[in-house]
Amino acid sequence: MPEYTELMAMREDIGRVTAKALAFMTKSSEDDVENIKALVLLAQCYMCNFGVDRAMYSSYRRAWSFGLDSFTLDSKKTAMPRYFATRRLMFVQASRMLHNARFGCASTLENEIADRLAHFCLSQYSEVRNYAVSALDDVTTLLPALKYPLIPRFLAELSASESSDPERMTGALRVLDTQSIRRTCLRDWRFFPQLVLALCRAQHEDKPQVKKLVRSTAVSQVVHVAAPHPIEELDPAIRDLVEQLSGQPCDAASVSRLKEKCQERYSFASSENSQLIDALVDILRDAGTTWRFAAIAGYYLDQLSSVKTPLAPRVVATLADNLTSDLVLFRESAAIYLTQLLSRIKHRSRPDTELYAVQKPKPDREYADLCERAVGGNQDALDAPFLDSPSVGWLAWPQTTRVFPQPLPGTSAAYEDIDPEYKGAYDAVRAAIFSAEKWERIARLFSLESTRSPEEDSFGVPRAALHEQLFSLFGVSLLEQAWPSIEKLAMDFERIGAQRAAAEMIAGLVRGSKHWGKDALARMWELLIPLFSLVFTRLRPDTLRFWQVCLQYSIARRDPRRYLPLIELVIYTNSFDPQAEAPFAEASKLDLMRVLLSCWDWRIASTIIASRPRLMDALAHPYKQVRDIAGIVMYMLSSSEFSVSYPCVEVTIDDFARYGSTGRDFSHWGGTQRTHNLIRDMTASIDAWKEEHIPSSEGTSNYIRGSKTLLTFFLASFGYCSRRLAIEHIPTILPIFSVLQEQHDDEDVARLANVIMQFFSQVLYTAEISEGVANKILALLDESSAMWHVIHKTLPLLCTLTFSNRFTLSREVRMRIVDTTAAFLEHEQIEVRQSASSSLTSLIKCASNKVMADINSKFSAKLKTRLPRVRYGKPPKNLAAYSKLVLTRHAGVLGLSCLVLAFPYTIPEWMPEVLVLLANCIDDPNPIQSTVQRTFAEFRRTHMDTWHEDRKKFTSSQLEILTDMLVSPCYYA
């Protein structure tokens, strides 16, 4: 087309003029900032023009993405409006044009303009640099081929030389941090090593802006850095599947060429990676490297050091030395990498399949007592293989499971034959850590408190994992080297950091001893038990959390019989004494017992119960912290006694098919006889103390303290354990908790009781349990007719219970709930009537038309008898009869008000008559008048927007009554 040829010639002329103008500015007028900015923008427009405005292209893309998300019916079908289909065509055309422009060959003129833009990126003027960097980013994004000759030019500006200029370095860093060039530098190993070393060696420039840019550039890149990965062979099955799907055979020659090319690239990348790692190690070992740039080098070293490929001993030794670096970040990154490396060495040296056996377990419901028998000295229980998974056997026994044999005599380590590829790394780590001085330094640095505040200092799982891998790999010989430092930290009771570091080391030691020999384990417990005995008696509120997590980390997913000395210490030697006068010490004992229960659950419950803990003696303990943890432990013990332990999966499925999805035992388990006795004893003690209770504002009585413990017992079901035990005992405890809601002697008792009653009302019950709970609440309301506070608190809970379980409650029970709630509209106490009104409004929303009709007729009948006239200032003739009639009419008004408020946005057929009845009560005394006014105010608020349609459902006389009685004339204007 002649027009197109003419336009392209004009575009070419504009490009040549732009290039000449940029060349002139480069040589003669670099200080002409405004003209250079204009020329840079012109060059950007010329280079980035591919036939469509970029803003319009982005608009097309967003519109098509929105339409695709909004009108897709399924994975194969869409219902796209014509407008969005048109936008799709425009987007496809713009994308085609962009693709053609992006992957075309760059001309000589375009290379010249890009070179001039690169020159201005290094300008002495910040405004020029900003414009040029933005333009070059757009240009290299559209024409990727232009950036490859420019990258070495910018990297050279970062090197230390006599001609280095901070302004030029700033421009080079800005360009290297742009998205298009950053991606290329990270993926292309021709540039990546140069970029990393340039950033790590850029400490020669002291300008703060340059240092900040170096750090930001390094941080933005280091998170995307990864060591090169070897080429993996394609699975033949996958290759055959691809051939079947494509319908074409695989070209072996093409695959071989591509594979050879990929292998060449990987070999080059691996060689460059090794050289780069060596250079980074040299930077770290150089005493002249400042800590900021050493940190940058350390970041890159961590990312480039892959545990999947063996590293040189020199590199591993450097990382091991970083464990005792003065920089926190160095220590943390070294700990994470060494943990991964040691785990890799273990798995390559001795696979897990050599450490465990797959056996057919013995289905035994008595497995829950295995630990108890082992503590008692039963040899069969002591010799049984370890079953570490805590879930195996709880519901059903599998056909096979993984078990670990008992430790063999001796102190030999489980990992003695190290894989030859990792032998150098193993020796480097061993040489670095096998010294008492090294562990003293580790202990000193790892025990430093948080830089913000001691309260924010927390147990470090990465550090504990490092210790676990060290002690697991090097065995008891490393323990002898590290023990003096560990013991010194644990005995430092004044420093929070020392206690935290000791807990981390001991947690890693105990968990890492999984595959030690019997003599090595005996040596470990010989050192640990006396230390634990002393530490557990010197715990403080700010250090208890460390030792709790220490126990959790040590014993999680481990057979309890691995830790018999620890169990004997926590349960027997360091047993709970409710008569002791050290409340925190006794609460700490119970807290450690709670940790054992939370980790081992049904496998440790019988052992603790057999020790006869005196938990009931803490029911009315004078200290809250003891009572709270005692209530929690009592519930956890009771809940942990339950285990189904079906002999096989087939029996489990058959039981579920016959008794429902929860099986025969699970949903209706109310605890063992011991649990029933425990709850009975607690409630009996509270009832006895209630008789002796004298309300007083000075101190608390046994009744108040015991009630708090009982509340905590059931509150634990919603925070720590399963709810099945609490659900079964709801009917028993509801009368007690309903009374406690109005306990004014102690606000905590009333608050806890309210919380638990709210929880109980929101639980989804089975059909049998939900009806039992509802009947119990209804009986409670009937028995509490004289206690209006109890009724006032219980009616909303009954409403919530009905909503939560409306599909499991029978029609008869739901009708009883509605009738009972409606009956309380005639209660003498105004608070009860208001609570019943709110509850009935909610119940009506899910009621049938027949129920609503019955309610309408029932409460309309209560308004048929009008009040006798009473002269102002004079009492009625029969005050009792008058008051009763006011109460009856108020109940009728409340009932009809519930009907109106239950439909805030619609007008049922019966509503106009109900509104007229309510309007006729506007002259009645309070509280009838105020109730009518509130009802109509709410009705007006909710129907205001649709009143032009809603008013058509009223007759003219009804509208006249409503307008004259309540609504201002402007409302219907």
Side-chain angles (χ1 to χ4, degrees):
M1 295 177 62
E3 293 85 357
Y4 178 77
T5 305
E6 183 180 357
L7 287 174
M8 294 304 296
M10 293 174 61
R11 183 180 184 279
E12 190 73 15
D13 292 341
I14 292 174
R16 283 195 294 268
V17 172
T18 303
K20 290 181 180 179
L22 289 173
F24 173 77
M25 290 295 182
T26 302
K27 297 178 181 178
S28 305
S29 302
E30 287 199 24
D31 56 349
D32 193 351
V33 174
E34 297 300 326
N35 286 330
I36 292 177
K37 287 163 54 177
L39 285 174
V40 168
L41 289 177
L42 177 61
Q44 182 179 3
C45 293
Y46 169 76
M47 299 283 284
C48 298
N49 178 28
F50 56 91
V52 176
D53 182 64
R54 297 189 66 182
M56 188 63 68
Y57 168 76
S58 300
S59 175
Y60 294 157
R61 182 175 59 184
R62 289 193 300 270
W64 169 240
S65 178
F66 173 78
L68 194 64
D69 294 338
S70 303
F71 303 105
T72 298
L73 302 181
D74 53 38
S75 59
K76 298 181 179 179
K77 187 177 180 181
T78 59
M80 190 74 65
R82 183 176 180 83
Y83 170 76
F84 284 101
T86 305
R87 304 290 284 187
R88 174 184 179 274
L89 293 176
M90 300 172 70
F91 170 65
V92 170
Q93 175 64 16
S95 299
R96 184 183 296 113
M97 298 176 68
L98 174 62
H99 178 82
N100 294 336
R102 176 174 290 177
F103 296 99
C105 296
S107 64
T108 304
L109 179 59
E110 290 171 335
N111 276 285
E112 181 181 354
I113 294 177
D115 183 73
R116 299 302 179 189
L117 290 177
H119 173 81
F120 286 117
C121 288
L122 306 176
S123 172
Q124 298 291 321
Y125 300 95
S126 60
E127 292 187 32
V128 173
R129 288 200 304 268
N130 294 338
Y131 274 72
V133 169
S134 177
L136 189 62
D137 184 22
D138 291 342
V139 168
T140 53
T141 300
L142 184 64
L143 300 172
L146 294 176
K147 58 188 170 185
Y148 294 100
L150 301 178
I151 292 177
R153 178 176 179 178
F154 295 116
L155 292 176
E157 296 294 336
L158 302 182
S159 60
S161 63
E162 295 180 357
S163 60
S164 60
D165 185 354
E167 302 298 335
R168 298 177 67 85
M169 286 187 65
T170 300
L173 289 169
R174 289 279 309 281
V175 172
L176 292 173
D177 199 32
T178 57
Q179 186 174 7
S180 61
I181 294 183
R182 181 174 66 242
R183 287 180 178 179
T184 302
C185 291
L186 290 174
R187 297 173 182 176
D188 197 328
W189 282 87
R190 293 175 298 173
F191 307 125
F192 178 65
Q194 302 177 40
L195 173 63
V196 172
L197 294 179
L199 292 175
C200 295
R201 292 168 177 168
Q203 61 182 351
H204 58 278
E205 181 54 55
D206 296 331
K207 192 174 181 180
Q209 182 184 5
V210 175
K211 290 185 176 181
K212 183 178 179 180
L213 278 174
V214 169
R215 291 196 300 272
S216 63
T217 304
V219 170
S220 63
Q221 293 180 355
V222 74
V223 294
H224 304 289
V225 172
H229 292 278
I231 306 300
E232 298 181 358
E233 290 289 341
L234 185 64
D235 190 348
I238 298 178
R239 181 184 292 110
D240 296 340
L241 178 61
V242 171
E243 291 181 358
Q244 293 177 8
L245 294 176
S246 63
Q248 298 180 359
C250 180
D251 187 356
S254 299
V255 172
S256 178
R257 287 195 300 271
L258 291 174
K259 183 178 178 181
E260 182 179 357
K261 185 176 181 180
C262 292
Q263 190 62 41
E264 290 178 359
R265 294 184 63 180
Y266 171 71
S267 300
F268 174 75
S270 298
S271 175
E272 292 293 325
N273 184 49
S274 300
Q275 297 177 21
L276 178 58
I277 289 176
D278 291 338
L280 291 174
V281 172
D282 293 336
I283 292 175
L284 289 174
R285 291 181 176 272
D286 187 359
T289 305
T290 62
W291 70 270
R292 292 186 182 276
F293 290 90
I296 295 175
Y299 294 153
Y300 280 112
L301 184 61
D302 291 338
Q303 295 294 102
L304 295 172
S305 302
S306 173
V307 297
K308 295 183 179 180
T309 56
L311 290 178
R314 177 168 171 264
V315 179
V316 177
T318 301
L319 292 171
D321 290 341
N322 285 346
L323 283 177
T324 53
S325 171
D326 292 333
L327 300 178
V328 177
L329 296 177
F330 271 30
R331 296 198 298 269
E332 293 177 351
S333 59
I336 294 173
Y337 175 77
L338 287 177
T339 301
Q340 298 174 352
L341 176 63
L342 295 174
S343 177
R344 181 76 174 180
I345 294 175
K346 285 168 49 180
H347 294 160
R348 289 291 297 267
S349 302
R350 189 174 182 183
D352 288 343
T353 52
E354 299 180 8
L355 300 173
Y356 65 82
V358 178
Q359 297 181 0
K360 184 176 182 179
K362 298 178 181 179
D364 186 6
R365 292 182 66 91
E366 299 300 323
Y367 189 84
D369 302 330
L370 190 62
C371 181
E372 178 188 351
R373 299 200 301 271
V375 172
N378 184 284
Q379 196 60 40
D380 293 339
L382 291 171
D383 295 339
F386 294 131
L387 181 59
D388 284 342
S389 177
S391 59
V392 172
W394 182 87
L395 178 62
W397 287 96
Q399 293 183 352
T400 59
T401 187
R402 180 185 299 182
V403 296
F404 293 86
Q406 289 284 336
L408 300 175
T411 60
S412 59
Y415 305 94
E416 292 183 340
D417 299 328
I418 304 300
D419 183 83
E421 290 187 3
Y422 288 88
K423 189 65 168 64
Y426 172 86
D427 293 337
V429 176
R430 184 183 181 90
I433 66 171
F434 263 78
S435 67
E437 293 79 8
K438 181 72 171 181
W439 278 97
E440 288 179 2
R441 185 169 175 79
I442 290 176
R444 181 178 63 82
L445 293 173
F446 279 25
S447 64
L448 295 177
E449 284 85 358
S450 171
T451 56
R452 288 172 289 184
S453 66
E455 291 75 15
E456 297 178 1
D457 205 2
S458 59
F459 185 95
V461 174
R463 293 186 291 268
L466 170 65
H467 299 311
E468 176 189 350
Q469 298 299 334
L470 286 172
F471 288 112
S472 176
L473 184 60
F474 297 108
V476 72
S477 57
L478 181 62
L479 173 61
E480 301 295 345
Q481 295 285 336
W483 182 251
S485 300
I486 297 176
E487 185 178 28
K488 183 179 178 181
L489 284 176
M491 297 297 289
D492 189 354
F493 300 109
E494 300 301 324
R495 285 201 307 129
I496 295 178
Q499 292 293 294
R500 189 252 309 145
E504 293 167 352
M505 292 181 179
I506 292 176
L509 166 63
V510 176
R511 193 165 184 83
S513 64
K514 178 178 179 179
H515 303 299
W516 285 14
K518 186 173 294 186
D519 295 339
L521 289 172
R523 174 58 178 165
M524 181 190 73
W525 291 119
E526 178 186 352
L527 296 173
L528 281 179
I529 294 302
L531 183 63
F532 275 146
S533 300
L534 184 59
V535 169
F536 290 166
T537 58
R538 300 288 297 274
L539 292 174
R540 301 184 322 197
D542 52 358
T543 60
L544 174 62
R545 65 183 190 273
F546 300 138
W547 295 102
Q548 289 175 337
V549 182
C550 172
L551 288 185
Q552 291 174 353
Y553 186 91
S554 302
I555 67 179
R557 299 190 63 81
R558 292 284 191 269
D559 194 304
R561 290 172 297 132
R562 293 183 182 272
Y563 307 97
L564 293 181
L566 179 61
I567 293 174
E568 292 178 356
L569 172 66
V570 174
I571 297 178
Y572 291 95
T573 307
N574 198 34
S575 60
F576 171 64
D577 182 9
Q579 305 301 327
E581 297 183 359
F584 179 78
E586 300 308 313
S588 300
K589 295 176 183 179
L590 294 177
D591 226 333
L592 297 177
M593 189 184 301
R594 180 190 61 80
V595 173
L596 300 186
L597 269 172
S598 64
C599 292
W600 287 326
D601 196 41
W602 61 291
R603 298 167 61 170
I604 194 65
S606 63
T607 308
I608 297 177
I609 293 172
S611 68
R612 300 182 182 277
R614 301 166 60 188
L615 298 176
M616 268 298 295
D617 294 340
L619 185 63
H621 198 279
Y623 291 96
K624 179 180 183 297
Q625 56 186 344
V626 177
R627 291 196 308 270
D628 288 349
I629 190 62
I632 293 171
V633 171
M634 282 192 287
Y635 188 91
M636 293 179 71
L637 274 176
S638 301
S639 179
S640 299
E641 289 184 86
F642 176 73
S643 62
V644 185
S645 293
Y646 289 106
C648 61
V649 177
E650 291 75 14
V651 176
T652 309
I653 297 175
D654 180 66
D655 189 78
F656 285 0
R658 294 171 59 189
Y659 298 100
S661 59
T662 55
R664 179 178 63 255
D665 301 323
F666 186 77
S667 61
H668 302 295
W669 183 76
T672 61
Q673 187 59 43
R674 188 199 67 83
T675 300
H676 283 279
N677 295 338
L678 174 65
I679 297 177
R680 183 196 62 201
D681 293 342
M682 284 195 293
T683 54
S685 299
I686 291 173
D687 290 338
W689 289 330
K690 183 180 178 181
E691 299 297 330
E692 305 171 357
H693 175 63
I694 300 176
S696 173
S697 60
E698 298 180 2
T700 56
S701 63
N702 287 340
Y703 171 66
I704 296 296
R705 293 194 293 267
S707 299
K708 287 183 179 180
T709 307
L710 182 64
L711 290 167
T712 305
F713 177 88
F714 283 98
L715 191 61
S717 64
F718 299 95
Y720 291 89
C721 315
S722 171
R723 302 176 184 178
R724 58 181 180 270
L725 177 62
I727 289 173
E728 288 292 334
H729 291 275
I730 286 177
T732 305
I733 62 174
L734 271 178
I736 299 176
F737 288 172
S738 61
V739 174
L740 291 176
Q741 290 184 97
E742 294 300 326
Q743 183 55 248
H744 301 292
D745 291 355
D746 194 302
E747 294 182 358
D748 288 342
V749 173
R751 179 182 57 81
L752 289 175
N754 288 328
V755 169
I756 292 180
M757 294 293 280
Q758 287 287 348
F759 278 147
F760 284 163
S761 65
Q762 296 170 11
V763 170
L764 300 178
Y765 300 103
T766 60
E768 180 180 347
I769 297 178
S770 62
E771 294 200 358
V773 174
N775 289 327
K776 190 66 178 180
I777 294 179
L778 292 173
L780 175 65
L781 291 173
D782 293 338
E783 297 170 359
S784 305
S785 57
M787 302 176 61
W788 70 268
H789 291 284
V790 175
I791 300 174
H792 174 62
K793 294 285 188 180
T794 307
L795 280 175
L797 302 180
L798 182 62
C799 177
T800 306
L801 174 71
T802 307
F803 264 109
S804 301
N805 299 273
R806 58 187 179 276
F807 299 115
T808 58
L809 290 171
S810 64
R811 184 176 181 277
E812 291 75 14
V813 173
R814 294 201 304 271
M815 286 302 301
R816 283 188 59 198
I817 293 173
V818 173
D819 293 341
T820 302
T821 305
F824 281 110
L825 292 178
E826 295 188 68
H827 197 275
E828 296 178 355
Q829 198 69 29
I830 183 63
E831 289 84 357
V832 173
R833 298 201 297 271
Q834 291 173 349
S835 180
S837 174
S838 176
S839 300
L840 185 60
T841 302
S842 301
L843 293 174
I844 289 174
K845 292 179 179 179
C846 57
S848 63
N849 292 333
K850 184 178 182 303
V851 173
M852 286 186 283
D854 293 341
I855 293 175
N856 189 359
S857 60
K858 176 181 178 180
F859 289 103
S860 297
K862 294 181 181 295
L863 299 179
K864 290 182 178 179
T865 304
R866 300 186 63 85
L867 288 172
R869 289 182 175 274
V870 179
R871 293 182 176 239
Y872 181 76
K874 293 185 178 182
K877 296 180 180 180
N878 190 343
L879 182 59
Y882 182 84
S883 300
K884 183 177 181 181
L885 184 56
V886 169
L887 181 60
T888 301
R889 287 182 64 83
H890 189 216
V893 169
L894 285 173
L896 296 180
S897 174
C898 293
L899 287 172
V900 173
L901 298 180
F903 296 91
Y905 305 109
T906 58
I907 304 289
E909 294 180 0
W910 45 261
M911 186 175 287
E913 295 181 1
V914 170
L915 290 172
V916 170
L917 285 175
L918 289 174
N920 292 331
C921 300
I922 191 63
D923 293 328
D924 288 3
N926 280 326
I928 299 176
Q929 186 183 65
S930 60
T931 302
V932 173
Q933 290 174 346
R934 285 196 300 269
T935 302
F936 274 93
E938 183 65 18
F939 174 82
R940 180 175 55 188
R941 185 186 67 83
T942 55
H943 291 79
M944 181 181 298
D945 295 337
T946 59
W947 182 244
H948 61 284
E949 294 290 337
D950 293 341
R951 64 181 300 168
K952 298 177 182 179
K953 299 182 180 180
F954 294 81
T955 65
S956 58
S957 59
Q958 290 171 343
L959 283 175
E960 184 179 357
I961 292 173
L962 297 181
T963 304
D964 292 343
M965 296 296 297
L966 292 176
V967 184
S968 59
C970 64
Y971 178 70
Y972 295 102

